[in-house]
Amino acid sequence: YQYPLMFGLILAFCWCSLVCCSRIYMGMHSILDVIAGFLYAILILLIFHPVVDLIDNFNLTYKYAPLIIISLHLALGIFSFTLDTWSTSRGDTAQILGCGAGVACGSHVNYILGLQLDPAPHTLPLSLSSLTVTAFGKAILRLLIGVIVLLLTKVAMKKATIPLACKMFRIPQGDVRRARQRMEVELPYRYITYGMVGFSLMFIVPCLFHFIGLS
């Protein structure tokens, strides 16, 4: 979409500031952590921005891309952590990796089925349409339906994955909170649950919108 550059810069600055300040306010990170993370994000951007189109094309078009994406993200979640004591970091990382894998797989399925294709280059950049009561109402309805579907997906997968993981690894289910802190339960629960949330976001919810005429 075509929008004023200053508007984009202000929005990006405000969002970045809110995320950074929330980490400090919640006591999750120090100021030095946030500064290091910000600089690290810039480094990642400089490295991956030139090849982002190649990665995106691979995710969409390569036949075995979903298998590679799932395996790579799962391996990163398993081998990136060795904790002396439990912390939220491992679960949060698995959650992010799972969601990313789900989004990538959902995009792949959309491409294979010919759904939600990118607009033709000659039509870009798109201009923002005027805001009408009808458009605003449809946007709110899409938001409510989408959030409900994603929450139901999360609850259903949570109910299924935690008992299954406990059964597979013979972990007592009496104290669910304690069981969830075990790596054998935490990683599959977070990865599978939020993988399905990401997949629903990219594929199931848009298909539902198309079916009920909210696309």
Side-chain angles (χ1 to χ4, degrees):
Y1 287 93
Q2 183 67 47
Y3 54 86
L5 175 62
M6 187 56 64
F7 172 78
L9 291 176
I10 292 174
L11 184 63
F13 176 79
C14 291
W15 181 257
C16 183
S17 299
L18 285 172
V19 172
C20 293
C21 291
S22 70
R23 298 295 84 197
I24 299 171
Y25 176 77
M26 295 297 293
M28 301 298 292
H29 294 285
S30 66
I31 295 178
L32 185 60
D33 290 338
V34 170
I35 293 173
F38 178 77
L39 296 176
Y40 187 52
I42 293 177
L43 177 62
I44 293 174
L45 183 64
L46 291 174
I47 294 173
F48 280 97
H49 187 267
V51 296
V52 69
D53 287 334
L54 292 175
I55 296 173
D56 187 53
N57 186 65
F58 171 82
N59 288 345
L60 294 178
T61 60
Y62 186 58
K63 183 191 300 185
Y64 301 108
L67 181 61
I68 295 173
I69 291 167
I70 292 172
S71 301
L72 177 61
H73 285 220
L74 187 58
L76 287 172
I78 293 173
F79 297 111
S80 61
F81 273 93
T82 52
L83 299 176
D84 296 328
T85 58
W86 179 83
S87 77
T88 60
S89 300
R90 182 174 60 200
D92 292 343
T93 301
Q95 181 173 315
I96 293 168
L97 290 170
C99 191
V103 167
C105 291
S107 300
H108 179 84
V109 173
N110 281 333
Y111 181 85
I112 296 300
L113 297 180
L115 306 173
Q116 295 188 338
L117 297 177
D118 289 337
H122 70 272
T123 64
L124 300 176
L126 303 176
S127 58
L128 294 172
S129 58
S130 57
L131 183 62
T132 64
V133 175
T134 302
F136 181 76
K138 289 182 69 175
I140 296 298
L141 191 58
R142 283 164 56 94
L143 175 64
L144 292 176
I145 293 174
V147 168
I148 290 172
V149 172
L150 295 181
L151 286 176
L152 290 176
T153 302
K154 177 186 173 182
V155 171
M157 296 308 300
K158 180 179 178 181
K159 293 287 186 182
T161 53
I162 293 178
L164 180 61
C166 288
K167 187 175 181 180
M168 286 180 60
F169 296 102
R170 299 179 180 179
I171 296 173
Q173 301 183 39
D175 188 349
V176 176
R177 181 182 179 86
R178 191 174 184 84
R180 283 176 52 182
Q181 293 181 2
R182 295 281 297 272
M183 186 182 76
E184 302 92 332
V185 176
E186 185 179 39
L187 289 184
Y189 149 59
R190 293 287 193 109
Y191 188 84
I192 295 173
T193 297
Y194 287 92
M196 281 304 302
V197 168
F199 184 80
S200 298
L201 175 69
M202 294 302 297
F203 178 68
I204 296 176
V205 171
C207 287
L208 177 61
F209 289 161
H210 179 74
F211 180 74
I212 62 179
L214 280 177
S215 296

